[in-house]
Amino acid sequence: MIKRRKTREITLGTLKIGGNNPIVVQSMTSTKTHDIEATISQIDRLIKAGCEAIRVAVPAKEDAEALKEIVKYSEVPIIADIHFVPYMAFLSMEAGAHGIRINPGNINKKEIVRDIVLEAKKRNICVRLGVNSGSLEKHLLEKYGYPSAEALAESALNWSEFFESLGFYNFKVSIKGSDVIQNALANEIFAEKTDTPLHIGITEAGMGTQGIVKSSVGLGILLYKGIGDTIRVSLTDEPEKEVEVAYEILKSLGLKKKGIDIVSCPTCGRIEVNLPNVVKQVQEALKDKDLSIKVAIMGCAVNAIGEASHADVGLACMKGGALLFKNGKILKKVTEENMVSELLETIEKYYQEV
Ligand code: SF4
């Protein structure tokens, strides 16, 4: 069981972050925000995938204006992503954004950061304070020689203190290093020194297997240490994929329950049934169901009975069929032809009972 870092609770729209609240899964739209129809349609898909807070890019005035409609429509909090043009932060707050993300390092003047923070305070808007290796302050670069983990953490601590000196606490911090190790270290240093909630992610993780692995390792290291109050998996892919991967990471660490958790064996020469086909059929049948359940589908008697009996529902396959388990107990022997339908029926019953 992972012991999560104790952080202060903050509010993003109707969502509570930090404290004892579950880790929040975030993603970001890839549409032009001013294309309201396309953005709303993507938000719908993200919500369906389980996304709990959604960031949208606000590079121009027309994007900030579109926020008025988008915020009205969205069932989850909307965060305006601001870079380089602080005016967009004010417009986004005016338009009703529940949160804004700023990187003080790319806003030249401290007074402007102060004004943004005071406006957020007045409107009770959540701010994500971002620090990354590309926009580190000159004095820290001089002090450390390069954007080291220590330099990134120090920048985040300095800005946090500045926010707090303005009496503003409704913020979280994100620190993005250039690689997985530096990222982990910078977040750890920061986490040890404050109770400010952390948004964690591996920026620009990439595409396909590389992106998923990099994100899983980077987030996994921090989550295992109890660090992380909101997460985003950044992939060069559809945003829904980011949400799917985020849940898989959290599920694998026992930090969130969503959807079915299928434990299936990799198969080997002992296999007596078409296991990949069985797993595919079960996944397909349950993909749109909002169930939290652990299902074991194992290829033979080696490990199978143990694994299947530890799951909520399971199949331990054998020549010509399988043993069907529920709550650790064998229910019956099923034939190969019927094993999928019998398993699905048992899952249905399991849900009626819990
Ligand atoms: Fe092989 Fe059986 Fe293990 Fe599956 S459960 S990998 S079939 S030994």
Side-chain angles (χ1 to χ4, degrees):
M1 182 84 175
I2 291 172
K3 191 169 177 287
R4 287 182 57 206
R5 166 180 170 247
K6 217 158 175 45
T7 55
R8 70 166 177 272
E9 187 178 87
I10 61 168
T11 306
L12 171 68
T14 52
L15 204 58
K16 301 278 183 210
I17 292 170
N20 294 320
N21 299 292
I23 296 169
V24 169
V25 172
Q26 290 192 16
S27 185
M28 185 170 181
T29 53
S30 55
T31 54
K32 297 281 179 204
T33 304
H34 58 259
D35 184 344
I36 298 176
E37 208 179 304
T39 304
I40 281 177
S41 158
Q42 200 170 58
I43 286 173
D44 270 343
R45 296 202 302 276
L46 279 168
I47 293 174
K48 201 164 166 234
C51 193
E52 296 162 308
I54 298 174
R55 190 151 51 100
V56 300
V58 183
K61 199 171 169 205
E62 54 185 345
D63 301 305
E65 271 159 12
L67 277 178
K68 287 181 196 151
E69 285 306 306
I70 294 167
V71 164
K72 243 190 272 163
Y73 181 85
S74 176
E75 288 164 26
V76 304
I78 296 293
I79 304 155
D81 190 64
I82 314 294
H83 282 291
F84 302 108
V85 192
Y87 178 49
M88 295 307 146
F90 295 101
L91 288 185
S92 300
M93 288 192 270
E94 179 67 37
H98 304 103
I100 55 165
R101 178 268 182 100
I102 55 165
N103 278 14
N106 66 33
I107 298 172
N108 283 332
K109 295 198 172 79
K110 203 168 181 180
E111 310 84 75
I112 299 178
V113 177
R114 177 199 63 205
D115 291 349
I116 294 173
V117 169
L118 290 177
E119 188 64 21
K121 183 182 172 190
K122 195 170 90 192
R123 293 176 183 269
N124 197 27
I125 285 171
C126 186
V127 176
R128 171 176 148 195
L129 186 183
V131 167
N132 67 33
S133 40
S135 58
L136 200 64
E137 296 82 357
K138 217 169 139 217
H139 72 276
L140 290 172
L141 278 175
E142 278 163 12
K143 180 174 170 186
Y144 290 95
Y146 73 104
S148 64
E150 291 77 9
L152 291 168
E154 190 169 326
S155 173
L157 286 164
N158 289 345
W159 283 112
S160 299
E161 276 166 22
F162 180 62
F163 280 27
E164 287 169 7
S165 73
L166 299 169
F168 184 65
Y169 297 91
N170 197 29
F171 70 95
K172 57 182 170 163
V173 162
S174 67
I175 308 174
K176 302 286 177 70
S178 58
D179 63 47
V180 165
I181 302 287
Q182 191 196 41
N183 200 69
L185 199 54
N187 276 282
E188 272 186 79
I189 297 169
F190 180 86
E192 270 168 25
K193 296 188 170 148
T194 77
D195 68 347
T196 300
L198 273 164
H199 171 84
I200 57 169
I202 299 298
T203 197
E204 295 135 19
M207 211 174 181
T209 308
Q210 179 196 304
I212 293 172
V213 170
K214 217 168 160 185
S215 294
S216 307
V217 173
L219 289 169
I221 292 171
L222 288 167
L223 291 167
Y224 178 69
K225 295 189 170 171
I227 297 169
D229 299 279
T230 63
I231 72 166
R232 182 197 174 192
V233 170
S234 303
L235 296 177
T236 312
D237 205 327
E238 291 300 317
E240 298 97 295
K241 186 74 186 172
E242 297 187 349
V243 176
E244 186 192 325
V245 175
Y247 274 103
E248 289 304 325
I249 294 171
L250 293 173
K251 270 159 54 181
S252 70
L253 291 166
L255 288 165
K256 199 131 175 153
K257 275 195 155 194
K258 184 186 181 293
I260 63 165
D261 182 7
I262 297 189
V263 179
S264 62
C265 80
T267 80
C268 72
R270 292 182 194 90
I271 197 88
E272 300 280 5
V273 296
N274 187 343
L275 198 83
N277 191 31
V278 174
V279 175
K280 243 186 246 158
Q281 286 183 62
V282 173
Q283 267 176 341
E284 190 55 32
L286 299 174
K287 76 173 190 303
D288 291 328
K289 305 223 181 215
D290 190 17
L291 307 174
S292 294
I293 190 168
K294 185 170 178 181
V295 181
I297 306 175
M298 305 298 287
C300 78
V302 179
N303 297 328
I305 293 180
E307 282 292 353
S309 62
H310 285 124
D312 298 315
V313 178
L315 284 174
C317 297
M318 56 183 68
K319 198 172 173 62
L323 290 173
L324 179 65
F325 285 82
K326 191 173 86 169
N327 295 325
K329 293 203 173 70
I330 300 174
L331 290 183
K332 58 179 163 178
K333 193 171 171 204
V334 290
T335 63
E336 191 168 352
E337 299 75 55
N338 293 339
M339 63 170 74
V340 173
S341 58
E342 291 270 8
L343 181 69
L344 293 174
E345 224 173 87
T346 309
I347 291 172
E348 203 58 51
K349 278 193 200 133
Y350 174 87
Y351 261 88
Q352 282 160 10
E353 288 164 18
V354 289

